[in-house]
Amino acid sequence: MKNFKNLLIVALFFVTATVLGQTKITGKVVDQSNQPLPGASVVVKGTTNGTSTDFDGKFSLNSKTNSGTIVVSFIGYKTKVVTFSSSIANLGNIQLKVDENSLDEIVVVGKGVIDLAGGRKTPIAVSTVKAAEIQKKIGTQDVTMTLVNTPSIYVSGQAGGFGDSRISVRGFDQTNTAFLLNGQPINGMEDGKMYWSNWSGVNDIASAVQIQRGLGASKLAISSVGGSMNFVTKTTNKKQGGSFYAGTANDGYLKSTIMYNTGMNDSGWGTSIMLSHWQGDGYNNGTRAQGQTYFISFGYKPNDNHNFNFLITGAPQWHDQNFTKSISTYLDKGLKYNDNFGFYNGQYLTERRNFYHKPVLNLNWDYTISDNSSLSTVLYASFGRGGGTGNRGNRVRTADGLIDYDAIYANNAATGGDGNFDNDAYITRASMNLHSWYGVVSNFEQKINDNLTFNVGADLRTYYGTHFRQVENFHGLTSWTEDRTLKDDNDNKTGPSVSVTATESGKANPWAATFNMMAENQRIDYDNSERISYAGLFTQLEYSTDVMSAFFQGAVSNQSHQRFDRYDYLPEFEDSEKLNNIGYNLKIGAGFNLTESSSVYMNTGYYSRQPYHDNIFNNYDNSINPFSQNEKIFGLEFGYNYKSEFLSGSVNLYSTSWRDKVDGFTDVTNAGVVTNTQTLGQHQYHKGIEFDFIAQLAYNFKLKGFASFGDWKYLGELTTQTLDEDRNLISQSVESVDGINVGDAAQTSYGLGIDYTIFNGFSVDSDFRYYDRLYANVSPTRGELKLPSYGLLDFGASYRLDLGTDKTKWLDFRVNVNNVLDREYISELTSANQTTVGSDTYRGIDTSNRGYFGWGRTWNASVRYNF
């Protein structure tokens, strides 16, 4: 009995000591609006002792020590470390702030193939814009404009019309930046270009846009010389609800959007649908436009191991276009002047209309094989249909420079209805570009141990494109006839001469182009196709600890190219030779955590990039350019990142060398002799430094800023060759281009922005950005021309009105004013004519130079009802 009492006393002592040595920690986790965050993680630092917050954001946790720190985290928010002690155990409200660059809460499926910063632990230079920011600020602009307040980004071409903007990253144009949609590459297979009018619906369907400058996190065998831009679309939403949007803007712009989510049912099924329509007259004269966007997503999660999502989306649109003009023309006729349109019997007609419909389908499958292994796969397809219109025949203009359609109809009537190049007739033709693109990207990930992760995958694509011209509008004619002489297998026009007479037309309408294709005997000027097939393998090995991380990425790919010409060749010579090119890339990097808040990294990589199809077949026939070769790119970058509760920022230094670029042929006819000119051995070297930060100066005041200082130049000499039709060398010259600045993007840019919440629900924001050292977009053999510097100020205001006490329904009101000060500026030039004695100038620039002025003051207003 005595032994039992002693044992009981000892047990009681240990229990008491344990209880007295514990601290019960309580608190509530909330967001920046003081709304609870259910499911937030709360862990005692350095232990596995943790819990999750309840529906009201509250938690209770016992600690074995009297003092220490807890780590509070929630997807999409910045992690917060809070100190506790036995005397301060009730921590009250713990407020988490949104992580601007986090996409963890966005990517529901496709995590293994959507290469985003954060998926790989070794840092990169990155900026992220989420759906709320896109919807708030984009207005009538292209999605490219969401990134103008980030370092080393320059957007131009807006003055061309809806969807005609271009984006440059670190001084490299769109052909040297990789663009991906949910993990699938979307750069043009033929030329690497991006046509943003085809993606006008991205504004509505994007959950986020992330720009990775430089080497990026992509594991694919793609050449992200300037960087890579990832569009993450919405997928099937797990919650039931929807929204309705209505917006208006300057120049007759109207837009409406409706979206509804069924939510996931008990069987794991869900559907999300979005439909949108927009139209407007355009900022510049004669740039009317109209389009729709549709998005349908089906999600299915049968169990915890499998997650499927199928979506189909498209953005059929047409938009009228404006082309570059001389500065003197703008000064004479107004900065909105456009001469690509006119009137017939008082009704508007345009000569230049782009129309396109590109449905995209993809199926994502995420398979969790085990706790340590997973497989992600995306199957995709796209079908592009459409083109662009232009003149063919005898164009007539009015005294003020517009197209005189009344005179054109009169001339056509005088021909008796049968038009050709010899009888002053005129038609509007459409240059058609059609394609079918199928692909699959699959990535297997194996966690070897707590520190080491291995990835391996494949990227397979096949593309078939068709290009021809057809009559879009006869303007009173009944037919149009053209003569042509067929070529032999040596590209000589020794075959018979034949005539093509077109009697059918196809309207410049994206929906009509989707379901109708002109017969081959009705095609004029040209008719050719190409088959491009691509097979790539990639791998990644990453090692990480609490202190450091390191990775290796490697990829190899083969591209095959073949061209088919039905218009210019005898039937037996329609098919070109088939060409295969091997390319590869290697990337390595390492990152080190200096403290809990700061880290440094270094990445380097080398690319051997295959030439694009249009650089292989660059003379509009089946002849292969003998000088096409792989381009060589070497990149090196260093960075420092800092992240705390109130301040986050980064500094990035980069160096990129790009060698062996071959420019395309230019046909020149001199006394009946056709010659071809090309440049070889282009070498560009881009280096620079970038800064960006976000500071939460008060609970209701945020300050943002960025700056980039680049030094982008051509190096060495450029070889120019002139060849005859049989590719025999006629002449060759070598010209030094050393030290000439690369044009088409501002080498210096910086800006500041503020977000200020005046009271709950009402906030204002403003952004200012400044551009300097912007040079004309011309060949380096033509020298350089610096454009005037300029700065732009934007302003916006938002008001949210909650409907009901449960905060599940609300109205969002938004107003934007861009270029508030109505600053007049030149956004780009495509010539570099130097000022001479007696020449007219505009801000020091010879007015004979051609280009675009940027938009003046514009505005947009909208209301969104969420339910």
Side-chain angles (χ1 to χ4, degrees):
M1 187 69 178
K2 183 177 181 181
N3 291 335
F4 176 74
K5 289 182 179 179
N6 291 337
L7 182 63
L8 187 62
I9 292 172
V10 171
L12 182 62
F13 170 79
F14 278 107
V15 169
T16 304
T18 301
V19 171
L20 293 175
Q22 286 186 343
T23 302
K24 186 177 181 180
I25 312 163
T26 59
K28 182 178 180 180
V29 181
V30 298
D31 63 14
Q32 288 169 274
S33 301
N34 289 318
Q35 296 301 309
L37 290 175
S41 171
V42 182
V43 179
V44 177
K45 188 176 181 181
T47 74
T48 58
N49 180 23
T51 187
S52 297
T53 57
D54 62 17
F55 183 79
D56 296 318
K58 296 179 180 179
F59 68 91
S60 177
L61 180 65
N62 290 322
S63 171
K64 295 179 180 180
T65 60
N66 291 329
S67 63
T69 56
I70 59 169
V71 179
V72 184
S73 61
F74 190 73
I75 290 176
Y77 289 78
K78 294 180 180 178
T79 298
K80 190 169 187 177
V81 178
V82 182
T83 301
F84 70 88
S85 66
S86 57
S87 60
I88 309 176
N90 185 352
L91 302 178
N93 283 0
I94 302 173
Q95 189 179 71
L96 300 186
K97 294 179 172 55
V98 172
D99 187 344
E100 305 287 344
N101 281 325
S102 170
L103 288 177
D104 290 340
E105 82 282 18
I106 297 296
V107 184
V108 180
V109 293
K111 293 179 182 292
V113 294
I114 303 177
D115 290 316
L116 297 172
R120 193 186 71 202
K121 295 182 180 179
T122 308
I124 56 174
V126 62
S127 299
T128 302
V129 183
K130 296 184 182 179
E133 188 77 359
I134 296 171
Q135 294 168 359
K136 184 168 73 171
K137 293 192 174 182
I138 196 65
T140 64
Q141 305 171 104
D142 293 342
V143 70
T144 53
M145 295 299 292
T146 62
L147 295 165
V148 294
N149 294 306
T150 55
S152 298
I153 302 294
Y154 188 75
V155 178
S156 58
Q158 273 196 297
F162 287 99
D164 282 351
S165 67
R166 295 177 294 106
I167 187 170
S168 296
V169 182
R170 289 183 175 175
F172 296 102
D173 67 16
Q174 296 182 147
T175 65
N176 300 295
T177 299
F179 297 91
L180 302 105
L181 180 76
N182 288 349
Q184 70 182 69
I186 58 174
N187 290 74
M189 288 282 282
E190 301 165 27
D191 53 17
K193 294 180 180 179
M194 282 293 294
Y195 300 93
W196 292 108
S197 57
N198 301 342
W199 302 97
S200 59
V202 167
N203 296 350
D204 297 311
I205 67 173
S207 291
V209 179
Q210 185 180 88
I211 179 71
Q212 302 172 7
R213 302 182 299 277
L215 296 168
S218 175
K219 294 184 285 291
L220 303 184
I222 54 176
S223 49
S224 52
V225 184
S228 56
M229 185 182 293
N230 293 270
F231 298 99
V232 182
T233 69
K234 293 177 170 65
T235 50
T236 306
N237 200 306
K238 294 181 180 180
K239 295 182 180 179
Q240 184 180 9
S243 65
F244 176 77
Y245 168 95
T248 185
N250 54 279
D251 300 295
Y253 183 87
L254 297 170
K255 182 177 181 178
S256 57
T257 303
I258 186 166
M259 172 174 275
Y260 182 72
N261 309 304
T262 65
M264 287 290 185
N265 63 24
D266 293 339
S267 299
W269 287 94
T271 303
S272 295
I273 299 175
M274 190 277 294
L275 300 172
S276 178
H277 175 86
W278 61 271
Q279 63 188 55
D281 295 333
Y283 179 80
N284 288 298
N285 299 333
T287 55
R288 300 180 183 183
Q290 179 180 291
Q292 297 81 38
T293 302
Y294 57 87
F295 171 86
I296 305 172
S297 177
F298 301 98
Y300 178 51
K301 189 171 183 179
N303 51 53
D304 290 338
N305 293 334
H306 297 276
N307 194 5
F308 298 91
N309 198 93
F310 172 78
L311 71 83
I312 177 171
T313 184
Q317 60 79 39
W318 60 260
H319 71 278
D320 300 342
Q321 295 179 292
N322 177 35
F323 294 159
T324 61
K325 296 168 189 65
S326 67
I327 297 173
S328 59
T329 299
Y330 287 117
L331 297 179
D332 178 46
K333 299 182 180 296
L335 301 188
K336 293 187 175 184
Y337 178 70
N338 178 14
D339 58 1
N340 287 337
F341 72 100
F343 299 89
Y344 174 60
N345 287 337
Q347 298 297 310
Y348 171 89
L349 282 178
T350 182
E351 185 179 80
R352 295 287 182 174
R353 173 166 291 179
N354 177 283
F355 59 102
Y356 216 81
H357 184 195
K358 186 185 177 76
V360 176
L361 303 84
N362 72 40
L363 174 64
N364 276 280
W365 172 39
D366 286 339
Y367 174 31
T368 303
I369 302 170
S370 68
D371 291 340
N372 295 320
S373 60
S374 61
L375 178 70
S376 290
T377 302
V378 56
L379 297 167
Y380 63 89
S382 68
F383 310 95
R385 303 288 186 266
T389 66
N391 66 298
R392 200 151 182 83
N394 182 35
R395 181 204 285 133
V396 184
R397 291 193 179 276
T398 64
D400 59 356
L402 299 183
I403 298 173
D404 192 341
Y405 283 107
D406 291 321
I408 286 171
Y409 272 84
N411 286 348
N412 285 355
T415 67
D418 299 321
N420 56 63
F421 283 112
D422 297 324
N423 64 359
D424 285 339
Y426 171 99
I427 60 170
T428 301
R429 52 81 183 159
S431 299
M432 303 297 292
N433 295 288
L434 289 63
H435 76 252
S436 298
W437 185 348
Y438 306 92
V440 58
V441 179
S442 187
N443 176 55
F444 172 77
E445 181 173 295
Q446 177 68 45
K447 187 176 180 181
I448 299 173
N449 55 45
D450 290 342
N451 305 114
L452 196 61
T453 304
F454 172 70
N455 285 264
V456 64
D459 174 14
L460 307 175
R461 318 170 212 163
T462 185
Y463 172 99
Y464 188 83
T466 298
H467 316 280
F468 57 88
R469 279 183 170 172
Q470 64 186 35
V471 178
E472 192 272 335
N473 194 330
F474 281 106
H475 298 291
L477 295 173
T478 57
S479 67
W480 177 264
T481 300
E482 295 187 12
D483 297 323
R484 59 195 175 101
T485 302
L486 301 182
K487 294 181 179 181
D488 60 19
D489 61 338
N490 292 318
D491 295 306
N492 296 314
K493 292 187 175 182
T494 60
S497 296
V498 295
S499 294
V500 175
T501 298
T503 57
E504 300 176 11
S505 62
K507 293 303 178 184
N509 180 287
W511 288 105
T514 302
F515 302 105
N516 297 291
M517 180 182 291
M518 192 64 67
E520 290 185 14
N521 63 0
Q522 294 292 311
R523 300 176 183 180
I524 60 175
D525 195 20
Y526 59 80
D527 179 14
N528 58 74
S529 301
E530 69 277 325
R531 167 72 67 185
I532 307 171
S533 296
Y534 177 101
L537 296 173
F538 57 85
T539 188
Q540 175 179 286
L541 187 66
E542 183 170 34
Y543 176 81
S544 63
T545 66
D546 292 338
V547 177
M548 64 88 65
S549 62
F551 79 96
F552 164 79
Q553 284 182 359
V556 62
S557 63
N558 178 72
Q559 290 184 4
S560 68
H561 301 262
Q562 190 171 18
R563 188 178 187 273
F564 315 98
D565 198 318
R566 294 170 293 276
Y567 197 86
D568 290 325
Y569 285 83
L570 291 165
E572 59 267 33
F573 304 123
E574 287 182 1
D575 298 357
S576 77
E577 175 187 347
K578 189 174 183 180
L579 188 69
N580 289 282
N581 289 314
I582 300 291
Y584 63 90
N585 65 48
L586 300 169
K587 294 190 286 188
I588 59 172
F592 300 90
N593 297 323
L594 304 178
T595 66
E596 290 183 351
S597 302
S598 61
S599 62
V600 295
Y601 73 90
M602 182 280 292
N603 297 322
T604 186
Y606 180 81
Y607 295 100
S608 177
R609 184 177 79 174
Q610 302 101 317
Y612 288 116
H613 181 88
D614 285 357
N615 284 338
I616 296 172
F617 298 97
N618 60 349
N619 202 29
Y620 306 108
D621 60 22
N622 284 350
S623 61
I624 294 176
N625 179 9
F627 301 101
S628 64
Q629 61 179 313
N630 281 19
E631 299 167 10
K632 289 83 174 177
I633 300 103
F634 176 74
L636 181 65
E637 53 194 24
F638 299 88
Y640 170 80
N641 295 316
Y642 180 84
K643 182 181 292 188
S644 68
E645 181 182 353
F646 300 105
L647 176 67
S648 63
S650 65
V651 181
N652 304 291
L653 294 89
Y654 65 89
S655 168
T656 306
S657 172
W658 178 28
R659 295 178 179 271
D660 294 334
K661 184 177 185 298
V662 178
D663 276 344
F665 285 94
T666 302
D667 294 350
V668 180
T669 302
N670 183 13
V673 177
V674 177
T675 59
N676 308 284
T677 303
Q678 70 175 347
T679 57
L680 309 172
Q682 189 179 111
H683 181 194
Q684 293 184 28
Y685 180 52
H686 296 221
K687 60 183 178 180
I689 185 170
E690 303 164 340
F691 306 87
D692 65 313
F693 73 90
I694 300 174
Q696 193 76 41
L697 301 182
Y699 78 95
N700 62 343
F701 186 76
K702 183 192 299 180
L703 178 68
K704 302 176 290 184
F706 75 93
S708 56
F709 305 94
D711 183 18
W712 312 328
K713 286 185 167 54
Y714 295 96
L715 298 182
E717 298 175 332
L718 199 60
T719 300
T720 302
Q721 294 183 335
T722 304
L723 305 95
D724 64 17
E725 289 182 271
D726 298 320
R727 302 299 182 272
N728 296 313
L729 184 64
I730 298 174
S731 64
Q732 178 171 301
S733 61
V734 179
E735 184 176 348
S736 174
V737 295
D738 197 62
I740 292 178
N741 283 288
V742 174
D744 202 31
Q747 299 198 26
T748 297
S749 61
Y750 50 85
L752 279 175
I754 60 168
D755 288 304
Y756 179 55
T757 300
I758 298 176
F759 56 81
N760 189 30
F762 182 64
S763 63
V764 295
D765 52 87
S766 184
D767 295 287
F768 174 80
R769 58 187 182 276
Y770 187 82
Y771 299 109
D772 192 14
R773 299 181 63 232
L774 170 63
Y775 296 88
N777 181 23
V778 297
S779 167
T781 59
R782 297 169 61 185
E784 65 180 43
L785 178 64
K786 185 176 180 295
L787 280 62
S789 306
Y790 66 93
L792 300 174
L793 178 67
D794 299 335
F795 174 82
S798 299
Y799 177 65
R800 171 171 165 168
L801 176 65
D802 288 319
L803 305 175
T805 58
D806 59 356
K807 299 188 182 242
T808 59
K809 300 176 183 178
W810 65 86
L811 286 171
D812 271 332
F813 299 91
R814 176 69 183 180
V815 175
N816 290 306
V817 181
N818 296 319
N819 194 0
V820 173
L821 303 179
D822 200 22
R823 179 68 185 270
E824 184 178 293
Y825 64 98
I826 300 173
S827 62
E828 62 179 300
L829 288 179
T830 56
S831 62
N833 303 329
Q834 302 298 318
T835 302
T836 59
V837 177
S839 63
D840 293 329
T841 62
Y842 171 83
R843 297 182 63 187
I845 302 294
D846 193 295
T847 58
S848 65
N849 283 291
R850 300 180 65 87
Y852 286 123
F853 277 83
W855 284 5
R857 184 187 299 115
T858 60
W859 62 270
N860 62 81
S862 65
V863 58
R864 184 184 302 272
Y865 171 55
N866 292 270
F867 59 90

